[in-house]
Amino acid sequence: MSDKFKAAHWSRVSAASWPWENFRPAEMASKGDGSLVLDIDAMDRLQALRTHLGRPMLITSAYRDPAHNRRVGGAKSSYHLKGQAFDVRMDNHNPAEFEAAARVLGFTGFGYYPDSGFMHIDTGPARSWGTPFPSRSTRFAPEPEPRRVQKAAAEGTGVAAVAVAAERVVTEAAPMLPDAAVSWAFTVLAIMGFGLVVWRAIRAGQE
């Protein structure tokens, strides 16, 4: 079997002949003339990466025909010309987690473009360039329950129990929410916890 998947234009590719379930010929084709020349091994690794991560991967550039590669200022020996390179948006990925998984699955070339929001990965020689993405671990790391809220819930405070349950929901949903939404949610929960402390102090003073 050929090591390349080729088509004069992506629209000529039948569904039966396309083996990569999470990607489509149109998104992998050259943005210039619409042609497809894809390295099968590289595409298999890309599909394995998508399956492993379990999140959609937005590909902004895959194969480039020579004329289009020149227009966008691509390197003369770019692995995009060989169908071995992919530019992937990092909007819904932790870049460090993404890179680590890509390396395990056999990608060896990495280009970092944090200002443009994407990472280049390819199966060429081992190398890297650009400035790595800043850490976004706080968006994905689980958060412990605040001790005050946890203690109040244990003592049977109904409102505190609701706060604890709500925090668990926010924590588990954090990877799917924008950073601002997660910060806002935890701020609300912190205010609820503070309010409970004040309320209990008032109650204690009245007893």
Side-chain angles (χ1 to χ4, degrees):
M1 184 176 69
S2 172
D3 62 350
K4 298 289 185 182
F5 184 101
K6 299 180 180 181
H9 193 273
W10 65 263
S11 62
R12 299 183 184 179
V13 178
S14 67
S17 67
W18 183 257
W20 302 289
E21 62 178 334
N22 291 116
F23 303 98
R24 297 292 175 266
E27 68 179 317
M28 310 311 294
S30 174
K31 301 297 191 294
D33 62 9
S35 61
L36 272 170
V37 178
L38 297 172
D39 183 87
I40 292 174
D41 178 69
M43 281 298 300
D44 286 346
R45 294 178 191 277
L46 187 71
Q47 179 61 61
L49 179 60
R50 166 65 177 84
T51 300
H52 171 78
L53 293 172
R55 295 191 185 103
M57 291 170 59
L58 176 60
I59 308 296
T60 60
S61 181
Y63 172 65
R64 294 177 189 161
D65 69 81
H68 180 64
N69 189 61
R70 287 192 296 271
R71 280 196 298 272
V72 299
K76 292 182 179 180
S77 58
S78 172
Y79 280 84
H80 285 284
L81 292 167
K82 304 173 183 180
Q84 292 178 240
F86 314 99
D87 294 343
V88 186
R89 293 286 307 177
M90 291 290 102
D91 297 5
N92 63 334
H93 295 282
N94 179 316
E97 176 187 282
F98 178 91
E99 180 179 350
R103 288 185 182 278
V104 168
L105 290 167
F107 286 96
T108 46
F110 293 84
Y112 311 107
Y113 299 88
D115 291 342
S116 299
F118 73 89
M119 188 183 301
H120 167 106
I121 58 176
D122 66 48
T123 56
R127 69 211 189 285
S128 63
W129 64 92
T131 303
F133 281 75
S135 174
R136 291 167 56 188
S137 60
T138 53
R139 178 179 177 182
F140 294 87
E143 296 288 343
E145 296 175 356
R147 291 182 179 179
R148 287 195 300 269
V149 176
Q150 190 177 38
K151 181 174 182 294
E155 293 175 356
T157 303
V159 177
V162 172
V164 170
E167 184 175 20
R168 285 177 181 152
V169 171
V170 172
T171 298
E172 292 171 1
M176 298 179 288
L177 296 173
D179 293 338
V182 175
S183 298
W184 176 86
F186 277 109
T187 298
V188 171
L189 290 170
I191 293 172
M192 290 175 64
F194 178 75
L196 286 166
V197 172
V198 173
W199 178 75
R200 289 183 61 80
I202 294 174
R203 285 280 308 270
Q206 293 175 343
E207 293 176 352

